[in-house]
Amino acid sequence: SPRDSLAREVSCFPFFIPDASTLRVINLNMYEQTNKMAHRTNMYDYSNLIVRRGQEFTLGIVFNRLFNPQFDIVNIEFLIGNNPNSTKRTLITMALGENMVESSKWKGRVLRNQAAETKMGITPAADCIVGLFSTYVTVITSLGKVRTERNPKTDIYILFNAWNPSDMVFMANEDDRTEYVLNSVGIIFNGTVSDKSSRPWNFGQFQQGVLDACLFILDFGKMPLEYRGDVVKVTRKASAMINSQDDNGVLVGNWSNDFSLGTAPTAWTGSAEILLSYVSKGGVPIKYAQCWVYAGVFNTFLRCLGLPSRLITNYFSAHDSLGSIETDIVLDEDGQIDMNYTTDSIWNYHCWNEVFTKRPDIPPVFSGWQAVDATPQETSEGYYRCGPVSVAAVKEGELRYEYDASFVFAEVNSDVVFHKRDKYGNTEVVSVNTTYVGQLILTKMVGSNEPEDITHTYKYPEGSAEDKRSMRQAERQGMRRYHSNSSSLLNVDMQMQMEAKQINTAGDISLTIIVSNLSNQVRTVNITLTCKTDYYTGATNQQFKLITQDMTKQQVFTVTANEYMEFITGQPFLSFIACGLISETGMKIHSCEALSKLTLCAVLVCQLKGPSQVGMDMYVTVKFTNTAGYDLRDVTIRLEGSDLMLLKTKQYSNIRQGSTVKWTESFTPQMPGSKMLMACLDCAALRNVCGQVDIVIQSKDYED
């Protein structure tokens, strides 16, 4: 074109002295405040412009005179990376004029051209690369080409856009977008099905430095820039990079009770401290994490880049290491779990994430929520990562679609198969439980801290026709499942149920076992009850009691706190497995129950004082009374609040039994809206003691 020919011609003149009529760029106006409000990015604690792709933003070029589109040739350039290339969509060049269209589907238009400023509307492509772009303006004259100098203040962050119907992550409902993109705090559910607990988490995606940390993760993971507009590729890379198992990612996992070389997973209150530490150390993994920490940090990464996401808790989550939908539990001759031969495990709970997006690589019906998991459990294409996999596909047993559908299907659907191993090494299947795994799947409710039951999104009701069809479909696609033709399993004429509950503040436990006789014959069951302390992953910490008893109907057993207390450390669970041998038939029945002993009745209280208004001083007091029954040593309390207070910590060398500590800090709210302050106490003897307080901050001009 003539413009291109002229550009090539004038580039041969490297030196020229402009006269007063030569067009020159004086300044770039980024209109940060106006653009951020329009793009819902004003919450980010960044001075630079942050926009969402597929949505127009305003850019002003201030020249030394009025721009004349008939004679002046001006190009606007947006660059990302060290070697920008238009073919890879890392270099966007747009000629300033009436109809500004670039080959990468970016668009522009002149909004106003008067005096010395030309104001434009720039619309990045709805599928453009997400990241930090540099902005340049080049003026081409008959004497040469003059390009503006590098100015970090005119760099633009471009994010995914859940508000744009053309973006793959579009969500139609405003309440959903507010929750899953803009909410910077959350609730993580833990405990067990019968003893559910929760803890607050500060995602902190808008905090200064966190957005750069998320981009650093992609850079450090050497993700090609041209793939960074693809939701599937971005989430899959991040799933690997949030853990450090094989690529020096963000977090080191630790499922022991020894956290002396780092921070206990239960001590963290949010993601920002972790991400900022990772960046400041140049990519040295941070110690330590367990599943909810991986999920909390992953959720921050996703929301920070504009991806709608939520954190999921699956109760009694199977971890199958052999690619089947059966979790194999091996028992010895006494009915106790044989840990030498049991490689599968059932986590009391497991946390992962979901991201909302279309999936152009699979049938459209499987778009929507996709499960992704950063906890390193099994490798996927050579790296410890999982997903994204369509939740709808998992529900239907459609496991042929990428990624890792079989693993997630087993997490929520696995049958528990009990094997008995004799002293000669021979094994036989003695019982199968098809309903224990995936009993309840929760996430935080939109606009509330209450749990939302989303089990139905992953599976049909147990035993329903649809459930059986889904299981058959999974088997047809390669999932191995145990099927028995043995009359000893098919014709078991007794059932057993067990319930465990704490009956007093001392920690004594009542165990109720009920056996139901489905025959018209007399039946006696010889019960072997194994009592043990577990890690939350289901791995045994210590067996502390074994009970044998003949029974015919119902029996209540008591486990005193003195029997297990010496084995309680950190974040403990009590686990009970009952194995029953029917004396008259030789058939066997089994039942499992878990009880969370997360805090041993310890409570951390947060109290507020002062006017809840922007710019006004407020005070928060954290109060803790040691009711654990023993002194607590080397205690750390973390305190933070999104848009309220950066992380603060307090150390106590010793909190004596029965004593109370109080810690007061001041803060000045900077933004109106619903906020949350949260605190967490942690020491080797007592983990996961958290407290929170919700607060609505009024605007500066609010009058009561």
Side-chain angles (χ1 to χ4, degrees):
S1 68
R3 283 177 181 262
D4 291 337
S5 300
L6 180 58
R8 287 195 295 271
E9 179 181 345
V10 300
S11 64
C12 299
F13 296 88
F15 305 105
F16 66 93
I17 301 175
D19 57 30
S21 64
T22 302
L23 189 69
R24 288 180 289 113
V25 177
I26 304 300
N27 189 31
L28 288 182
N29 286 335
M30 308 306 291
Y31 293 97
E32 290 92 351
Q33 185 173 356
T34 302
N35 284 321
K36 285 181 177 180
M37 290 294 293
H39 285 251
R40 301 169 183 82
T41 60
N42 54 301
M43 298 80 65
Y44 287 85
D45 188 14
Y46 276 73
S47 58
N48 282 75
L49 178 58
I50 303 173
V51 300
R52 302 188 189 275
R53 65 185 191 177
Q55 181 176 338
E56 185 178 78
F57 66 90
T58 302
L59 175 67
I61 306 177
V62 179
F63 296 105
N64 62 319
R65 60 168 174 79
L66 181 68
F67 167 74
N68 187 336
Q70 300 298 318
F71 302 103
D72 296 321
I73 303 175
V74 176
N75 288 335
I76 306 167
E77 299 171 336
F78 301 96
L79 289 67
I80 187 170
N82 295 324
N83 298 294
N85 184 305
S86 58
T87 303
K88 295 184 177 181
R89 304 173 71 188
T90 56
L91 169 61
I92 310 297
T93 303
M94 308 178 74
L96 179 59
E98 295 298 323
N99 296 304
M100 302 161 58
V101 180
E102 201 272 341
S103 60
S104 294
K105 296 182 287 187
W106 287 51
K107 298 178 181 178
R109 62 190 180 114
V110 175
L111 301 176
R112 187 183 67 192
N113 184 29
Q114 65 183 41
E117 183 182 40
T118 300
K119 185 181 288 188
M120 296 161 295
I122 305 293
T123 305
D127 62 350
C128 78
I129 292 168
V130 167
L132 181 62
F133 286 77
S134 300
T135 308
Y136 294 91
V137 178
T138 300
V139 177
I140 302 172
T141 72
S142 59
L143 298 177
K145 181 188 296 185
V146 179
R147 195 172 188 235
T148 54
E149 294 183 355
R150 171 85 172 91
N151 184 359
K153 293 182 179 180
T154 62
D155 288 350
I156 303 174
Y157 294 90
I158 299 182
L159 310 178
F160 293 98
N161 193 351
W163 284 263
N164 186 349
S166 298
D167 199 307
M168 302 302 288
V169 302
F170 171 69
M171 297 189 91
N173 184 277
E174 178 63 20
D175 289 341
D176 289 346
R177 294 187 295 240
T178 300
E179 178 69 47
Y180 298 130
V181 180
L182 301 182
N183 196 350
S184 60
V185 294
I187 299 294
I188 301 175
F189 298 98
N190 49 32
T192 66
V193 171
S194 59
D195 190 20
K196 291 181 288 294
S197 304
S198 65
R199 60 173 294 152
W201 191 267
N202 185 17
F203 299 124
Q205 69 264 36
F206 305 128
Q207 188 171 321
Q208 175 69 42
V210 170
L211 177 53
D212 289 318
C214 295
L215 298 178
F216 174 84
I217 289 170
L218 298 179
D219 292 340
F220 199 69
K222 297 181 172 56
M223 183 179 189
L225 286 166
E226 58 265 33
Y227 296 154
R228 298 190 191 183
D230 187 317
V231 182
V232 172
K233 288 184 171 62
V234 168
T235 53
R236 190 150 171 79
K237 168 59 72 172
S239 173
M241 284 299 299
I242 297 299
N243 72 73
S244 66
Q245 198 74 5
D246 42 28
D247 46 20
N248 287 319
V250 178
L251 282 159
V252 179
N254 185 342
W255 282 268
S256 74
N257 276 329
D258 182 7
F259 307 113
S260 57
L261 297 180
T263 299
T266 48
W268 304 111
T269 48
S271 306
E273 179 185 5
I274 294 167
L275 290 168
L276 297 178
S277 296
Y278 180 66
V279 172
S280 68
K281 295 178 180 179
V284 176
I286 304 302
K287 302 175 181 178
Y288 291 105
Q290 292 176 2
C291 71
W292 72 90
V293 182
Y294 287 116
V297 173
F298 199 0
N299 217 53
T300 297
F301 174 92
L302 296 168
R303 290 188 184 181
C304 189
L305 295 185
L307 292 165
S309 63
R310 59 188 185 182
L311 198 149
I312 307 301
T313 300
N314 177 37
Y315 287 95
F316 298 128
S317 187
H319 177 188
D320 180 79
S321 58
L322 300 176
S324 67
I325 42 178
E326 61 181 69
T327 300
D328 299 301
I329 307 296
V330 181
L331 308 172
D332 63 20
E333 290 184 296
D334 296 323
Q336 302 178 60
I337 293 181
D338 192 331
M339 298 308 301
N340 294 323
Y341 295 93
T342 300
T343 58
D344 293 342
S345 61
I346 302 172
W347 296 31
N348 288 312
Y349 68 90
H350 178 51
C351 298
W352 62 74
N353 304 84
E354 289 178 359
V355 60
F356 190 89
T357 182
K358 292 180 181 177
R359 289 289 301 272
D361 55 326
I362 62 178
V365 68
F366 297 131
S367 290
W369 288 114
Q370 313 289 314
V372 286
D373 193 347
T375 300
Q377 296 182 88
E378 300 293 334
T379 58
S380 173
E381 296 181 339
Y383 293 92
Y384 280 92
R385 57 185 170 184
C386 182
V389 55
S390 166
V391 173
V394 169
K395 181 175 182 177
E396 299 298 333
E398 290 285 358
L399 310 184
R400 53 188 160 168
Y401 302 117
E402 302 284 16
Y403 292 88
D404 310 309
S406 298
F407 185 81
V408 176
F409 186 87
E411 285 185 302
V412 301
N413 283 298
S414 185
D415 296 335
V416 183
V417 181
F418 291 92
H419 305 256
K420 191 164 187 179
R421 186 176 188 275
D422 64 23
K423 62 182 179 181
Y424 302 107
N426 302 311
T427 61
E428 64 170 328
V429 175
V430 295
S431 180
V432 178
N433 188 326
T434 61
T435 62
Y436 187 73
V437 166
Q439 291 184 34
L440 181 65
I441 305 173
L442 297 180
T443 190
K444 177 187 171 298
M445 191 177 292
V446 172
S448 166
N449 289 336
E450 295 301 310
E452 178 184 357
D453 184 350
I454 59 168
T455 312
H456 66 281
T457 67
Y458 279 86
K459 56 197 297 188
Y460 288 102
E462 295 282 0
S464 66
E466 295 86 353
D467 176 51
K468 294 175 181 177
R469 185 195 67 220
S470 175
M471 296 295 281
R472 288 195 299 269
Q473 179 71 358
E475 289 185 79
R476 282 194 290 267
Q477 297 181 17
M479 293 294 284
R480 179 172 57 84
R481 189 184 189 195
Y482 178 80
H483 291 279
S484 174
N485 295 317
S486 169
S487 60
S488 64
L489 291 180
L490 296 176
N491 300 317
V492 174
D493 55 10
M494 295 197 76
Q495 293 179 344
M496 179 165 56
Q497 294 175 302
M498 178 167 50
E499 180 185 3
K501 61 181 180 180
Q502 184 172 321
I503 56 177
N504 54 38
T505 57
D508 295 340
I509 306 298
S510 172
L511 285 171
T512 302
I513 297 179
I514 301 173
V515 291
S516 302
N517 187 353
L518 307 181
S519 74
N520 56 8
Q521 305 289 323
V522 175
R523 294 285 186 260
T524 301
V525 182
N526 179 260
I527 297 293
T528 299
L529 177 61
T530 302
C531 308
K532 57 194 181 79
T533 58
D534 281 353
Y535 301 105
Y536 86 97
T537 59
T540 298
N541 177 25
Q542 179 70 47
Q543 179 181 317
F544 62 86
K545 189 172 185 177
L546 185 67
I547 301 172
T548 59
Q549 178 83 41
D550 286 337
M551 55 183 295
T552 58
K553 190 173 182 181
Q554 178 173 321
Q555 186 77 37
V556 177
F557 303 93
T558 299
V559 177
T560 67
N562 289 335
E563 292 177 286
Y564 67 80
M565 193 61 72
E566 64 178 294
F567 307 114
I568 291 291
T569 56
Q571 184 187 197
F573 286 80
L574 301 180
S575 179
F576 307 97
I577 298 178
C579 302
L581 174 64
I582 305 173
S583 302
E584 291 78 10
T585 65
M587 298 178 183
K588 302 177 181 68
I589 52 179
H590 295 82
S591 183
C592 308
E593 181 73 325
L595 186 67
S596 170
K597 295 294 295 178
L598 291 177
T599 62
L600 296 175
C601 302
V603 177
L604 193 69
V605 178
C606 298
Q607 299 172 325
L608 291 172
K609 278 188 177 182
S612 54
Q613 193 169 355
V614 171
M616 303 294 286
D617 290 341
M618 295 189 67
Y619 300 88
V620 58
T621 297
V622 179
K623 179 182 177 182
F624 172 76
T625 300
N626 180 7
T627 60
Y630 43 82
D631 290 359
L632 300 176
R633 302 186 184 280
D634 299 322
V635 178
T636 300
I637 300 180
R638 279 175 165 79
L639 172 66
E640 65 176 310
S642 184
D643 298 328
L644 294 174
M645 173 192 296
L646 295 177
L647 177 71
K648 296 181 182 293
T649 61
K650 185 80 168 178
Q651 308 286 335
Y652 296 91
S653 59
N654 185 39
I655 301 178
R656 295 179 63 83
Q657 175 184 346
S659 67
T660 298
V661 295
K662 291 183 179 181
W663 170 30
T664 300
E665 288 284 348
S666 64
F667 63 97
T668 307
Q670 300 299 315
M671 296 186 68
S674 298
K675 311 294 179 185
M676 180 191 294
L677 272 166
M678 61 197 72
C680 188
L681 178 145
D682 193 82
C683 65
L686 193 61
R687 306 282 190 201
N688 211 50
V689 183
C690 298
Q692 70 194 63
V693 58
D694 297 307
I695 179 175
V696 176
I697 302 298
Q698 305 293 344
S699 60
K700 273 187 178 181
D701 54 358
Y702 174 79
E703 293 184 7
D704 194 352

